[in-house]
Amino acid sequence: NAGVTQTPKFRVLKTGQSMTLLCAQDMNHEYMYWYRQDPGMGLRLIHYSVGEGTTAKGEVPDGYNVSRLKKKQNFLLGLESAAPSQTSVYFCASSDQGRVPEAFFGQGTRLTVV
Amino acid sequence: GNSVTQMEGPVTLSEEAFLTINCTYTATGYPSLFWYVQYPGEGLQLLLKATKADDKGSNKGFEATYRKETTSFHLEKGSVQVSDSAVYFCALTRYTGNTPLVFGKGTRLSVIA
């Protein structure tokens, strides 16, 4: 039972390069989220999806785009032109519908932009 | 808007000491409240939760009570162990239109033998 899987686990980018972070969940959850974690800032929501083909902006969406084509498939986080300010640890999470659904998190992707 | 404030760390305790990590929240209506824990090098995992006023969430010896009158959800453990060393996050959500989890900034706990 894999849960939430993120790839890659580590990546170093040069300023201006682009990349896509992949998140996959095998729990048939409707909702998926991308957070970034920075020292002293906790977790901040970048974008999220409440179902197939839907996405919405979170607290810090600038510089990122997301794609979710089918519910069970990957929730992709794209950086079109990486900046050093995007150096962070990125976490994907998913949750089901319901009164108080638990969110399940991936192991994180550590991204460094130089 | 919804927000969570938790005590800043780091917190360093000796093994078997009593732990309290304070958490207060601001939200409209009746949020659900959570504590998540992050062990070194891992993602977050749910520690406990409470869905309405006066509910007590508990797990692995940790407890937190949903106090609506003080808008608080403080985490407590009577006797901490070295294995409890981690970062603890308080969080809330309101399940109307699936409001995403809002997190506090986290409190790092180090327990020394």
Side-chain angles (χ1 to χ4, degrees), chain A residues 87-106:
Chain A
T87 293
S88 187
V89 181
Y90 292 85
F91 286 99
C92 177
S94 71
S95 66
D96 206 348
Q97 292 176 295
R99 177 67 179 87
V100 189
E102 174 182 349
F104 293 82
F105 283 79

Side-chain angles (χ1 to χ4, degrees), chain A residues 25-101:
Chain A
Q25 51 97 359
D26 61 3
M27 296 169 283
N28 202 32
H29 286 167
E30 287 283 346
Y31 308 133
M32 297 184 75
Y33 317 89
W34 277 107
Y35 291 89
R36 60 177 289 175
Q37 183 179 26
D38 302 291
M41 301 296 292
L43 274 79
R44 294 181 292 171
L45 183 65
I46 305 171
H47 285 281
Y48 64 103
S49 169
V50 298
E52 177 182 339
T54 70
T55 61
K57 294 180 179 180
E59 180 185 357
V60 289
D62 293 343
Y64 305 94
N65 57 76
V66 287
S67 174
R68 184 152 183 232
L69 299 179
K70 289 188 178 181
K71 184 172 66 176
K72 292 185 182 182
Q73 292 185 349
N74 291 350
F75 189 36
L76 310 178
L77 179 70
L79 285 73
E80 295 176 340
S81 179
S85 60
Q86 294 177 304
T87 293
S88 187
V89 181
Y90 292 85
F91 286 99
C92 177
S94 71
S95 66
D96 206 348
Q97 292 176 295
R99 177 67 179 87
V100 189

Side-chain angles (χ1 to χ4, degrees), chain B residues 6-87:
Chain B
Q6 60 181 106
M7 62 184 288
E8 294 188 15
V11 174
T12 301
L13 294 174
S14 298
E15 208 165 21
E16 300 184 0
F18 184 85
L19 168 71
T20 299
I21 301 177
N22 291 337
C23 171
T24 57
Y25 67 89
T26 300
T28 55
Y30 301 94
S32 296
L33 302 173
F34 305 82
W35 278 99
Y36 279 80
V37 58
Q38 183 181 31
Y39 297 104
E42 298 184 8
L44 280 72
Q45 55 186 276
L46 180 66
L47 180 61
L48 53 84
K49 64 186 179 186
T51 61
K52 61 184 186 295
D54 299 325
D55 265 3
K56 178 185 283 188
S58 62
N59 186 26
K60 299 181 180 180
F62 291 89
E63 294 182 339
T65 301
Y66 188 144
R67 302 288 189 197
K68 188 165 178 62
E69 64 275 14
T70 55
T71 62
S72 65
F73 192 54
H74 303 323
L75 182 68
E76 297 182 336
K77 187 174 185 182
S79 176
V80 294
Q81 304 300 314
V82 172
S83 57
D84 293 326
S85 297
V87 182

